[in-house]
Amino acid sequence: MASLANSSVHLLLLVVVLAAAADAVTFTIVNKCGYTVWPAALPSGDGNQLDPGQSWAVYVPAGTKGARVWGRTGCGFISGGSLGQCQTGDCGGTLRCAAVGAPPVTVAEFSLGQASKDDYFDISLVDGFNAPMAIVPAPAGGRRCPRGGPRCAAEITLQCPGELRAKAGCSNPCRGNSTCGPTKDTEFFKKLCPETVTYARDGQGTTFTCPAGTDYQIVFCP
């Protein structure tokens, strides 16, 4: 009887796990850069090292609000990722992150829907720029995303004005200021990457939508 009870518990746990996985959205993070990127994701807190050409799958529950993905550059970690530092996007010197990395940093932002509610997503340069990025939706079941996904392929760091230059990135002075923008500095970012959010109230076609349940590729250096 005890063996039967244990089997029933294990079966129930397996059903729960499979149900959760079926209701999760897959973010496939791809590094097409010629250098290593250390992506991180919230709210899961996951982090990883992706050498050029590598990819990594992150599973996010449907209905998650405030999901974030960003890349870190110039990192070095020891002790299994518990100690280190990154030139850009650092989140307290650890491979796994509890908060969005330090600016300047390019951020993919998601608010995931459920059932009949849509996903909403964007690429934000409000915290500055450290790596080119694109979000590529993969809707299921013949469904379509009206506008596809945003893309910021420009190497902004190489064109960054002197007053905005940061170590391995380009700063945005509107960071943390909800009333800032548009300014000549945000227009610099907008000119190079018109589909991105460049200040807090930037609504110039910067929010994209897809049906709930869509999976996404987040590509560095598209």
Side-chain angles (χ1 to χ4, degrees):
M1 290 295 291
S3 177
L4 181 61
N6 288 336
S7 297
S8 298
V9 169
H10 291 155
L11 180 61
L12 178 60
L13 289 173
L14 178 61
V15 170
V16 170
V17 169
L18 291 175
D23 199 32
V25 170
T26 302
F27 290 170
T28 302
I29 304 170
V30 182
N31 180 17
K32 291 188 176 182
C33 301
Y35 49 85
T36 300
V37 174
W38 286 260
L42 292 176
S44 66
D46 291 327
N48 205 350
Q49 174 180 324
L50 292 184
D51 293 327
Q54 291 186 327
S55 63
W56 172 47
V58 176
Y59 303 99
V60 183
T64 297
K65 311 301 179 187
R68 301 287 187 269
V69 176
W70 71 98
R72 294 166 289 176
T73 62
C75 299
F77 293 103
I78 60 175
S79 302
S82 62
L83 182 65
Q85 191 172 19
C86 300
Q87 287 185 341
T88 66
D90 190 79
C91 62
T94 58
L95 183 61
R96 294 175 56 86
C97 296
V100 174
V105 63
T106 311
V107 183
E109 304 179 318
F110 292 85
S111 179
L112 300 178
Q114 281 182 297
S116 61
K117 295 184 178 180
D118 286 342
D119 297 341
Y120 294 87
F121 56 99
D122 63 61
I123 294 175
S124 174
L125 302 184
V126 175
D127 286 340
F129 172 96
N130 73 328
M133 177 188 286
I135 300 175
V136 183
R143 297 175 294 177
R144 300 176 67 88
C145 302
R147 298 171 53 217
R151 181 182 180 90
C152 177
E155 278 285 5
I156 292 179
T157 301
L158 300 179
Q159 306 176 57
C160 188
E163 65 273 17
L164 302 182
R165 287 179 190 165
K167 189 173 185 179
C170 192
S171 299
N172 187 337
C174 277
R175 182 182 69 87
N177 186 340
S178 62
T179 62
C180 180
T183 67
K184 68 177 181 63
D185 293 325
T186 64
E187 287 303 309
F188 161 74
F189 290 105
K190 183 66 71 176
K191 181 179 179 180
L192 292 172
C193 289
E195 296 178 337
T196 63
V197 180
T198 58
Y199 57 96
R201 295 173 290 109
D202 186 357
Q204 302 176 43
T206 57
T207 300
F208 290 71
T209 62
C210 280
T214 297
D215 293 328
Y216 298 91
Q217 278 194 351
I218 300 163
V219 183
F220 293 104
C221 302

